[in-house]
Every structure is written in structure tokens, then in C-alpha cells.
Amino acid sequence: QKEVEQDPGPLSVPEGAIVSLNCTYSNSAFQYFMWYRQYSRKGPELLMYTYSSGNKEDGRFTAQVDKSSKYISLFIRDSQPSDSATYLCAMTWITSGNTPLVFGKGTRLSVIA
Amino acid sequence: NAGVTQTPKFRILKIGQSMTLQCTQDMNHNYMYWYRQDPGMGLKLIYYSVGAGITDKGEVPNGYNVSRSTTEDFPLRLELAAPSQTSVYFCASSPKGQGADTQYFGPGTRLTVL
């Protein structure tokens, strides 16, 4: 079982739809959970992060973590064509030293106008 | 600030050739990383550095070498290129290297080995 599982899609939705992107993980030591957005032929950029369980909202984006189920989600409300990108979940744990990120494979999203 | 810059943007190599992928950051970050991204496979960490003169292996270091002589630069060296090294390579940097510390990525180098 891979440490982080993410459905690669592609996912195609009409403009204005609510989008749900998800990752599951196996390592219960993960404490920080991130979502990176990657536009075509660009490097990833951090979209949101959450610590431990709970929800975090930023404009049209909501990140949700359920540590009991080892499941994280990213919701996009009122999706726009500009949201078309690949979304990568990433997670890591707490130590005193460097903590490398473990990435999911990414989900490719297309929002159709 | 230019952020993280990478050169070249594209490169085609023949099997057995070698090359250096350049990475420079102007944010005075201590931590720098090299990833490769294969289609549908996510990002895999090749090497990372916690400061000038200090480097360590990531998940997939075989076939690569790195050096870090300055805070700004973190070149990745490919010796004896193989088709399995065809990928998109991303360099990234971060201030602290821990937890939710944001990693800032460069635009990538697309490498094809024929």
C-alpha cells in the first residue's frame, strides 16, 4: 500500500460546480496536510495547508482533514475555468529535523465554461 | 524577487551523456530540493540540502549527484543518462524545511533521454 493515494482523474466539471478532491494515507504520523496546485507546464504552488484534524477555509477553497479515517479533502465552490489544473495533496510529520513532503500523484481537474 | 529559477527549460540527451541542471533561488532559503515528476506518478524527492555544504539523499537518488557550495545554487548532475531519467525535474526551496513550511518551486526542466 502506497503511503498516499490520490485518484489521478481526469475530473471534468461544468463552471459553477462544487468540486471535491480527495487523498487517503496510511501513515498515522502525518500531522501537516497540504494542497498544491500545478498549472500545465508550471511548477506546483501551495494552495492551502492544515495542521492535524479539522477544516480550513480560504475564499472558495475548503480543506478538510479526518485523521481517524486517514482521509483529506479539498472542496472548490463555484468552480471557474481558471481552476483547471492538477491538484496534488502532500503531507508530512513533525520532527526536529527536515521533514520531507510525501506527495500524492495529483488529480487533473478541468472546469468547462 | 525572481524566486526559484531553473535552466535549461528543455533538453534532449543521448544515452550515456551527462549534464547539469541548474537551480538558483534569491529568497535566502536554507532548504533546497530536487524532485522528478513522471506522468501520473506525482513528485519524487531525489536529493535535498539543509544549507551550504550539506546534502542528503531523498527517495530516488540513484544516477544523480548534487552539490551546494552557496545558499543560492543547488545544481543537479546526471552522469551516464538513461531513458529511465526522462522526466520533468523541479527544484524547490523553503525557509525552514519543517512541517507546513511552504516549498517554492521553479518552473521545471523537461528532460528526454533517447
Side-chain angles (χ1 to χ4, degrees):
Chain A
Q1 181 186 11
K2 294 194 183 301
E3 275 202 295
V4 179
E5 301 272 10
Q6 185 176 9
D7 187 339
L11 182 62
S12 184
V13 302
E15 182 177 357
I18 296 174
V19 176
S20 172
L21 304 168
N22 312 293
C23 288
T24 59
Y25 62 94
S26 58
N27 189 342
S28 58
F30 288 141
Q31 294 276 21
Y32 290 102
F33 304 91
M34 285 143 273
W35 287 95
Y36 278 78
R37 178 174 60 194
Q38 185 178 19
Y39 290 115
S40 181
R41 295 183 176 269
K42 301 288 186 183
E45 57 180 347
L46 182 66
L47 188 61
M48 294 184 72
Y49 80 89
T50 53
Y51 170 65
S52 194
S53 286
N55 292 0
K56 185 174 184 178
E57 190 173 319
D58 183 2
R60 295 184 295 109
F61 299 88
T62 299
Q64 199 171 76
V65 175
D66 181 350
K67 290 197 70 183
S68 62
S69 302
K70 298 192 180 69
Y71 188 88
I72 69 170
S73 301
L74 177 71
F75 298 97
I76 307 174
R77 290 183 300 279
D78 188 25
S79 55
Q80 303 295 308
S82 58
D83 295 327
S84 297
T86 296
Y87 291 80
L88 300 122
C89 63
M91 46 199 79
T92 190
W93 56 96
I94 301 172
T95 69
S96 59
N98 182 54
T99 50
L101 294 179
V102 180
F103 284 88
K105 293 181 179 181
T107 300
R108 183 184 293 180
L109 171 67
S110 293
V111 181
I112 310 301
Chain B
N1 287 350
V4 179
T5 57
Q6 293 182 239
T7 57
K9 286 187 170 55
F10 306 93
R11 184 73 185 269
I12 298 175
L13 282 182
K14 294 182 179 178
I15 294 172
Q17 288 184 321
S18 59
M19 76 166 292
T20 299
L21 283 67
Q22 301 292 345
C23 175
T24 300
Q25 53 94 7
D26 63 0
M27 297 173 282
N28 202 34
H29 288 167
N30 285 326
Y31 291 82
M32 295 188 75
Y33 311 84
W34 273 106
Y35 293 92
R36 59 177 288 171
Q37 186 176 39
D38 300 323
M41 294 301 292
L43 289 159
K44 301 290 186 185
L45 183 64
I46 304 171
Y47 270 96
Y48 67 96
S49 170
V50 302
I54 307 170
T55 63
D56 207 348
K57 296 177 180 178
E59 184 181 356
V60 289
N62 290 345
Y64 307 94
N65 279 302
V66 294
S67 60
R68 182 100 180 268
S69 57
T70 67
T71 299
E72 295 78 19
D73 300 308
F74 190 40
L76 178 71
R77 178 86 177 158
L78 277 71
E79 306 281 2
L80 298 174
S84 61
Q85 293 177 305
T86 294
S87 190
V88 182
Y89 291 85
F90 289 101
C91 178
S93 72
S94 68
K96 300 175 187 175
Q98 294 183 12
D101 192 26
T102 301
Q103 291 193 16
Y104 297 86
F105 285 81
T109 294
R110 292 181 176 272
L111 176 67
T112 301
V113 181
L114 299 174

